[in-house]
Amino acid sequence: MSSFFGGSSSQPSSPSSPADAAARKEAVMNSIRGELALANAQELINKTNDKCFAKCVTKPSTSLSSSEETCLVRCLDRYMEAFNIVSRTYTTRLARERLDVQSDSL
Amino acid sequence: MAEQFDEATQVRTLPFYPPNPTNRPDRQRELQGFMEREQAQARMQQSIHNFTSMCWDKCITGTPSTRFSSSEQNCLQNCVERFLDTSLFMIRKIEEQRGAS
């Protein structure tokens, strides 16, 4: 206990408590990463749902037709592909802008 | 001595976390850095979602097929680049107007 509440500038004397703290920290970081990844996936699912429903189900009837289902499958694949193209283009651009700023400041 | 001074300034620059001896400042700083990186990444992912949605509406006009045509692919790339150009252009114009008045 004294190592836990001890002087903040000294290293904790017990070998188990820093390992404990490191494990706890790792757990917190992983849960935050997990939450963000989940939010990202949910956003992508919501967007594909909206976009593909708008494109493929133009006149809703009593059930999804097979042509509508084909369209939805293709639309889903294309939306993911579009996301990847946009992501690649954006990150490449950001890297380029950063290089420009660096060479300007030299 | 130097380390204590460091930690004292650390606590003062982090007003959101009350000084707490169990939360050592270097751990606070590490977690703060981690949170800033994760938040920056989340903002970037949100931008990518917005761009994809916007450029999908602009570029993908027909029914989706098994693969993108090269014009659709080019349109998506141009859409992102030109949106960013627009953003920079607008900022420059607004700054010019503010400088002129």
Side-chain angles (χ1 to χ4, degrees):
Chain A
M1 257 338 219
S2 67
S3 72
F4 222 72
F5 293 106
S8 57
S9 62
S10 65
Q11 290 291 319
S13 51
S14 156
S16 74
S17 86
D20 257 21
R24 229 177 15 249
K25 189 186 72 194
E26 201 57 41
V28 168
M29 282 177 163
N30 280 335
S31 84
I32 288 169
R33 282 194 198 103
E35 290 289 328
L36 287 172
L38 186 65
N40 195 36
Q42 277 172 339
E43 176 80 21
L44 193 58
I45 291 167
N46 286 337
K47 280 272 161 65
T48 52
N49 214 348
D50 284 357
K51 299 295 178 188
C52 296
F53 181 75
K55 247 198 201 319
C56 297
V57 190
T58 46
K59 280 202 173 81
S61 69
T62 51
S63 70
L64 287 178
S65 69
S66 67
S67 65
E68 282 168 339
E69 284 181 355
T70 310
C71 177
L72 287 171
V73 170
R74 287 175 177 177
C75 177
L76 184 61
D77 287 347
R78 291 293 76 68
Y79 198 84
M80 302 281 185
E81 194 183 342
F83 184 85
N84 287 329
I85 292 172
V86 167
S87 176
R88 220 179 308 124
T89 311
Y90 184 42
T91 47
T92 310
R93 172 71 179 256
L94 283 185
R96 201 169 65 228
E97 299 276 349
R98 210 167 294 144
L99 271 181
D100 284 355
V101 169
Q102 270 172 13
S103 60
D104 278 358
S105 65
L106 283 177
Chain B
M1 207 36 190
E3 200 188 351
Q4 273 191 332
F5 178 75
D6 240 33
E7 291 188 351
T9 53
Q10 265 295 310
V11 172
R12 228 178 293 132
T13 54
L14 294 172
F16 296 111
Y17 306 101
N20 178 357
T22 61
N23 246 343
R24 304 235 328 279
D26 57 340
R27 195 170 303 145
Q28 274 186 12
R29 187 165 45 185
E30 200 187 326
L31 273 176
Q32 207 192 16
F34 168 77
M35 288 307 290
E36 276 164 14
R37 280 195 303 279
E38 292 297 316
Q39 278 170 343
Q41 208 197 336
R43 273 198 303 277
M44 199 167 129
Q45 278 171 343
Q46 193 51 56
S47 299
I48 296 170
H49 282 297
N50 291 340
F51 295 160
T52 308
S53 171
M54 193 172 64
C55 296
W56 173 270
D57 290 343
K58 269 199 201 302
C59 297
I60 317 299
T61 48
T63 16
S65 71
T66 49
R67 50 167 302 176
F68 279 141
S69 67
S70 63
S71 70
E72 283 172 327
Q73 209 161 335
N74 285 334
C75 179
L76 287 170
Q77 286 167 356
N78 288 338
C79 173
V80 174
E81 296 276 5
R82 295 300 81 71
F83 180 83
L84 296 171
D85 285 350
T86 304
S87 167
L88 293 175
F89 178 81
M90 290 306 193
I91 290 166
R92 212 165 54 235
K93 285 293 152 194
I94 288 164
E95 275 176 354
E96 272 176 28
Q97 281 177 4
R98 217 171 38 179
S101 64

